[in-house]
Amino acid sequence: MIKCVKCGEVDGIMKAGYVRGKQRYLCKPCNYYFTCSEKDDSSQSLVRKKRHQTTIIDIAKSLGVSNSTVSRALHGHADISPDTRQAVLDKATQLDYQPNQLAYNLVKSKTNTIGMIVPEFHNPFFPNVIIGAHDILTKAGYNLTIMQSNESYQVEISNTKAMLANRIDGLLISLTQETNNFDHLSVFEKRGIPLIMFNRVCEEIDVPKVVVNDFEASFLAVEHLILNGYERIAHLGGPLTLQVSQERLRGYRAAMEKHGKSIDDHMIIQGMLTQQKARIYGQYLLDLADRPDAVFAVNDSSAIEIMLIAKEKGISIPDELGVVGFSDNPESAYIGPGLTTVRQPTLEIGRTTAEWILQLVDSEDLNLHERKILNTELIVRGSSRRSGAF
């Protein structure tokens, strides 16, 4: 009980913060502020007392039974009588017992946690994949731990080490634009931890992969531009260290060759496609004396940057310049005159990778080195549709 040091009152004493580590009080009757030492403040001692988490041992002592009896009762073992089990459950509720699920899972050599590493969050593609995976995993009783590599190979390595330290049951990963060495991923196979790559994958590691039909989708996107009367079609691509960039370039070339269109290497740019780089590359293409009359970009953000540059230069879309992107980001439908793009099944990618990793976690055979290829859809909008064409 706290007594005012000025008037001696004990009623109407209120806490009023801390001063130099001591509790400060306000005596309302005399409007006087004062502090007291911890030994004079029983309530302060209680506040600073280390919080005690109720354990199985506490429940066992309360009921006068063994720790193992409490443990078996909490986990529903058949050798525990219904009365004993109910008494344990009642006491656990009374003492606000919270099971240590992490410790329990470690005993079983499982943490019921799946890790996911993505290159970035700015593009809606990866958040949507995460939503799809999270939906499947949570319904199966698993937690999803998400880390971002921020397009950095070194950060990706750190992320994988953190995932291993947290003893995840499986890993889903999409590689960075910088990644060209895969030793940090081989560790998972050596430890028998299932690993699935999605979207940005590599062939050097023989693990399951979930991708979309990048070659076919790119072929159809470029063919659409050709059928709309465009002749000089440029390609703004990603770094060739990524298989996805290789496949989209291959699709571009195949469509041009099929329709007898000349391929000018000056019209093909591959590189790290930040917004700043996309603007530099776009300026270069549209400043050419024999500039392209269409651009197929490896992603929507780069395609939108091309459209903005064209508007700044007074180049009419789609009459003077056709533009096609890849991904169908939300803003693609709203930028005038609407961006033609390839829609990827992002939620399905997430769900597929999650369902597959759960199969691998529960299987003794980790050699399911397959590739699942999901279909895309060409969404035609105003940026490439010339009147009277397809």
Side-chain angles (χ1 to χ4, degrees), residues 287-339:
D287 282 342
L288 290 172
D290 54 349
R291 65 173 176 78
D293 62 358
V295 178
F296 167 55
V298 75
N299 57 37
D300 281 357
S301 58
S302 299
I304 289 172
E305 203 62 40
I306 292 287
M307 293 176 69
L308 294 175
I309 295 169
K311 289 180 180 180
E312 292 168 8
K313 293 180 176 295
I315 299 172
S316 174
I317 299 174
D319 296 331
E320 296 178 275
L321 181 71
V323 183
V324 175
F326 207 110
S327 279
D328 194 28
N329 293 349
E331 62 268 27
S332 302
Y334 300 108
I335 184 171
L339 174 64

Side-chain angles (χ1 to χ4, degrees), residues 252-308:
Y252 161 83
R253 287 185 174 278
M256 295 288 280
E257 290 168 1
K258 175 187 173 182
H259 291 275
K261 303 299 179 184
S262 61
I263 299 175
D264 185 346
D265 288 338
H266 291 95
M267 295 282 189
I268 300 174
I269 301 177
Q270 307 282 156
M272 300 286 186
L273 281 184
T274 61
Q275 183 177 3
Q276 182 181 13
K277 288 289 184 66
R279 172 155 282 270
I280 292 171
Y281 299 150
Q283 289 279 9
Y284 163 78
L285 287 173
L286 297 187
D287 282 342
L288 290 172
D290 54 349
R291 65 173 176 78
D293 62 358
V295 178
F296 167 55
V298 75
N299 57 37
D300 281 357
S301 58
S302 299
I304 289 172
E305 203 62 40
I306 292 287
M307 293 176 69
L308 294 175

Side-chain angles (χ1 to χ4, degrees), residues 123-142:
N123 189 322
F125 176 90
F126 291 108
N128 283 335
V129 172
I130 291 170
I131 291 170
H134 183 267
D135 182 51
I136 296 298
L137 293 172
T138 52
K139 287 179 181 176
Y142 279 75

Side-chain angles (χ1 to χ4, degrees), residues 76 79 108 131 214-215 245:
D79 60 347
K108 298 187 302 177
I131 291 170
D214 286 296
F215 169 78
S245 302

Side-chain angles (χ1 to χ4, degrees), residues 135-154:
D135 182 51
I136 296 298
L137 293 172
T138 52
K139 287 179 181 176
Y142 279 75
N143 297 311
L144 178 63
T145 297
I146 304 161
M147 301 188 80
Q148 178 190 211
S149 56
N150 200 29
E151 295 290 13
S152 165
Y153 169 62
Q154 291 301 327

